[in-house]
Amino acid sequence: MPWLLVGLGNPGARYARTRHNIGFMAVDAWCDKATSSPSWSEKWKAQVATIGTGSSRVVALKPQTFMNRSGQSVVPAAQFLRVPPAQLLVVHDEVDFQLGRLAVKKGGGHGGHNGLRDILQLLGNGDFLRIRLGVGRPVHGEVADHVLSDFRPDEGQVVDDLLERAVAAITCVTREGVVTAMNKFNTT
């Protein structure tokens, strides 16, 4: 049975380097490290790449439905692949974490994240795994404007480091399990 690795984000060049798209960026970085040339195709309203990693298979999915409708892509993929919640790993931005913080989580609510909200509503189950990538909360202004803004040039190194740790966390979850990953990556 494969892993379903989901990166949350918004499609299109306009959103490519925004905070909301850190999930897409992390999945891309993991795929690029796992294989020299991931082959992406269109399926389940998403970009999809299947990657063999030793004894297991990972189906990477980047929904093209926009963030608020992520479940319309994730749930049909999970159902078709018969992936249980314990093998569904969603990588997403987290405004309640400072920029650069990463945490692995098993289950829970949506915490105000519209992509997670849609997945939870359509899946009917919140027991799936998550990797939360800190993008910070704005000091002033709207959260929506903040997550749809590009990372600033002075944040580049922190973002690069975060993506490197995200790749390691994805690998750890899919090879060693969520408990090991939580123990290894959930430091303050």
Side-chain angles (χ1 to χ4, degrees):
M1 182 176 318
W3 279 89
L4 180 56
L5 170 63
V6 177
L8 295 186
N10 285 313
R14 174 180 173 206
Y15 300 105
R17 294 292 299 164
T18 63
R19 295 167 194 277
H20 231 7
N21 275 33
I22 193 81
F24 276 9
M25 290 181 238
V27 167
D28 282 337
W30 183 85
C31 289
D32 289 343
K33 185 161 182 151
T35 183
S36 57
S37 56
S39 178
W40 294 93
S41 61
E42 295 286 325
K43 195 171 190 175
W44 303 302
K45 299 179 185 176
Q47 290 182 351
V48 180
T50 301
I51 297 170
T53 59
S55 62
S56 65
R57 184 170 58 111
V58 176
V59 176
L61 184 106
K62 297 186 297 183
Q64 301 297 292
T65 55
F66 287 94
M67 184 67 78
N68 296 354
R69 297 289 174 250
S70 297
Q72 293 179 5
S73 171
V74 175
V75 172
Q79 290 171 340
F80 180 85
L81 297 166
R82 295 189 172 123
V83 172
Q87 298 228 173
L88 170 58
L89 177 58
V90 178
V91 185
H92 65 90
D93 59 304
E94 179 57 72
V95 296
D96 290 329
F97 285 4
Q98 69 184 22
L99 179 64
R101 182 175 168 202
L102 177 152
V104 178
K105 181 178 181 183
K106 180 180 186 293
H110 57 73
H113 192 288
N114 288 331
L116 292 177
R117 177 184 282 124
D118 197 57
I119 294 168
L120 278 162
Q121 185 176 353
L122 295 178
L123 191 61
N125 185 328
D127 292 341
F128 56 90
L129 312 178
R130 302 106 189 266
I131 296 179
R132 304 161 72 193
L133 304 177
V135 297
R137 183 175 284 279
V139 177
H140 305 288
E142 291 291 319
V143 170
D145 294 336
H146 177 69
V147 297
L148 293 175
S149 68
D150 286 355
F151 289 105
R152 296 187 317 265
D154 64 306
E155 297 172 323
Q157 188 59 55
V158 175
V159 173
D160 289 347
D161 292 346
L162 177 59
L163 290 172
E164 192 173 306
R165 284 184 290 117
V167 167
I170 292 166
T171 300
C172 187
V173 170
T174 58
R175 289 188 183 166
E176 302 174 50
V178 68
V179 173
T180 299
M182 288 190 293
N183 288 333
K184 188 172 183 178
F185 291 95
N186 292 5
T187 57
T188 54

